[in-house]
Amino acid sequence: MNKQQSSGLIIAILSVVAGLLVGGVVMLVFGYSPIQNYSNHFNGAFGDIYSIGETLRNATPLILTALGFSIASKAGFFNIGGSGQLLVGWFGAIVFALHFKNLPGILLILGAILAGMLLGGFWSWLAGFLRAYFGTSEVITTIMLNYIALYFVNFAIKRWLAPKGSDSSANIVPKASLRTPFLEQITNHSTFHWGFFIALVLVIVMWWYLKRSKTGFEIKAVGLNEQAARYAGMNTKQTIMWAMLLSGLLAGLAGAVDGLGNYQNISVSNALPDIGFNGMAVALLANGHPIGIIFAAILFSALQIGGLSISVYSTTPTEIVNIVIASIIFFVGVRFLFEQLLNHRLLKKHALMKERLEK
């Protein structure tokens, strides 16, 4: 682990600790016990095999959306469209699974996943194309595409998928599901599914891709200095579109595996899925490192799943979990403060050692 990675890990840990402390202070102010609530929180997320299964299942789309966001970030872009890309990916996977249900199980699952990935990738590629050829801010276009995705998917569900008088599509056939009796049995009938292992494989693939491949190097080069990359002979327009396409493919995959593994159908939504925005926070906490994203996603998932137990075992409202999560995101956002504190401590230590050597 190099110096930069060590610094990022320390800052991430400090951000989590600071967020938990803020949550604890808020609990004390309103008369709740932080120790009891955090204990209930931990038990709700990791207390038994069922809770672990639910925590890992909930972490799956967070890993994939965070991975997608980090790819765009390494190319120097802020892809805020993860929610829309996830939603169209979810829609594409369910449509394929419903309309080609006579296919053999493995082909049905692979086709549905591919359909979701392609739709998510196309949705993100649009923003990359506009950025590459017209200089349009990807922040603005991805935000706009989020709402186009939301209203288009809602319209399509009501018009083509949902029975009359319903807001949900039919359920997919069992052979299209990523859940299996084996995984349900070993996790005490949780909703844990094969999507988690797909996410782990993608983390390893993306880590290798960014570290070892030529196009991975070009993505990072464009992110560091687009003009210098162009001067070095790189096709920056192509790299921009490719990075955004990859980002959308991963977000679309997140929607596909969540739809096939967790929901088993798709319903009309009143708002964009939180997973896309939470994935951004996961990527920022992990400082964009693929392996770190796994642990950051499990942490966020544990906060969400464990938070459901707080109101069951005490009178503490579950909204307190949102305060903790928001506090962690806040401290990640002000990482400059932690960096300054670390640098000041290192400089002070270096000066002290120099003074001792001179003596």
Side-chain angles (χ1 to χ4, degrees):
M1 186 181 290
N2 58 38
K3 184 178 179 181
Q4 184 179 4
Q5 290 174 336
S6 300
S7 175
L9 178 61
I10 293 170
I11 291 169
I13 293 171
L14 289 174
S15 300
V16 172
V17 171
L20 293 173
L21 287 174
V22 168
V25 170
V26 172
M27 291 180 204
L28 284 173
V29 168
F30 288 96
Y32 304 114
S33 169
I35 295 175
Q36 184 62 47
N37 280 319
Y38 281 137
S39 175
N40 293 338
H41 209 137
F42 182 84
N43 287 332
F46 301 109
D48 54 37
I49 192 64
Y50 174 85
S51 300
I52 293 172
E54 290 297 312
T55 298
L56 296 180
R57 186 271 306 163
N58 190 60
T60 300
L62 289 174
I63 292 172
L64 292 169
T65 51
L67 201 57
F69 178 81
S70 70
I71 295 290
S73 295
K74 288 186 185 302
F77 308 116
F78 212 75
N79 180 10
I80 307 184
S83 293
Q85 293 148 26
L86 178 145
L87 191 58
V88 296
W90 179 2
F91 173 74
I94 296 299
V95 168
F96 187 95
L98 290 175
H99 283 77
F100 297 95
K101 58 186 178 182
N102 293 324
L103 287 173
I106 187 66
L107 292 179
L108 186 57
I109 290 173
L110 290 175
I113 288 175
L114 183 60
M117 290 180 69
L118 290 176
L119 270 179
F122 172 73
W123 217 252
S124 183
W125 176 86
L126 287 172
F129 173 79
L130 292 172
R131 172 68 172 79
Y133 285 95
F134 301 100
T136 310
S137 169
E138 74 283 355
V139 174
I140 296 173
T141 52
T142 50
I143 290 174
M144 294 172 67
L145 285 166
N146 273 343
Y147 288 97
I148 294 171
L150 174 64
Y151 295 121
F152 167 74
V153 169
N154 282 349
F155 166 79
I157 293 169
K158 292 287 286 183
R159 185 68 179 268
W160 298 312
L161 297 182
K164 190 174 182 180
S166 175
D167 287 335
S168 301
S169 72
N171 285 349
I172 59 175
V173 293
K175 64 180 178 180
S177 174
L178 288 173
R179 295 189 205 174
T180 64
F182 169 71
L183 292 178
E184 288 181 356
Q185 185 177 359
I186 65 173
T187 58
N188 197 20
H189 302 288
S190 77
T191 55
F192 183 61
H193 55 78
W194 289 110
F196 180 74
F197 301 103
I198 294 173
L200 293 184
V201 170
L202 262 294
V203 166
I204 296 170
V205 170
M206 286 297 107
W207 174 80
W208 178 89
Y209 175 77
L210 290 171
K211 201 169 184 65
R212 302 294 182 188
S213 71
K214 177 187 174 184
T215 50
F217 171 79
E218 289 176 348
I219 286 174
K220 292 187 287 186
V222 169
L224 290 171
N225 193 319
E226 186 177 338
Q227 290 184 341
R230 188 183 299 113
Y231 182 77
M234 298 179 191
N235 188 335
T236 54
K237 287 185 172 62
Q238 182 177 314
T239 302
I240 290 169
M241 291 188 293
W242 176 242
M244 290 297 286
L245 175 66
L246 270 182
S247 182
L249 286 171
L250 289 164
L253 176 60
V257 298
D258 212 27
L260 299 174
N262 183 28
Y263 294 98
Q264 312 281 302
N265 68 354
I266 188 167
S267 304
V268 171
S269 304
N270 294 322
L272 289 162
D274 290 335
I275 298 171
F277 301 113
N278 290 336
M280 293 167 54
V282 167
L284 292 172
L285 179 61
N287 200 25
H289 194 284
I291 306 301
I293 282 173
I294 297 173
F295 296 100
I298 292 174
L299 170 67
F300 267 70
S301 179
L303 289 171
Q304 293 171 335
I305 298 297
L308 301 175
S309 302
I310 285 183
S311 60
V312 174
Y313 298 108
S314 70
T315 58
T316 309
T318 55
E319 286 76 12
I320 202 75
V321 177
N322 294 330
I323 294 175
V324 174
I325 293 174
S327 300
I328 292 173
I329 296 171
F330 170 79
F331 286 112
V332 170
V334 295
R335 62 185 302 125
F336 175 76
L337 174 64
F338 291 123
E339 287 174 350
Q340 291 298 102
L341 290 173
L342 284 173
N343 290 337
H344 177 72
R345 183 179 177 184
L346 289 172
L347 287 172
K348 189 175 180 180
K349 186 177 180 181
H350 178 71
L352 186 62
M353 289 179 63
K354 185 177 180 182
E355 185 179 339
R356 287 177 179 175
L357 289 171
E358 288 176 351
K359 288 181 179 179

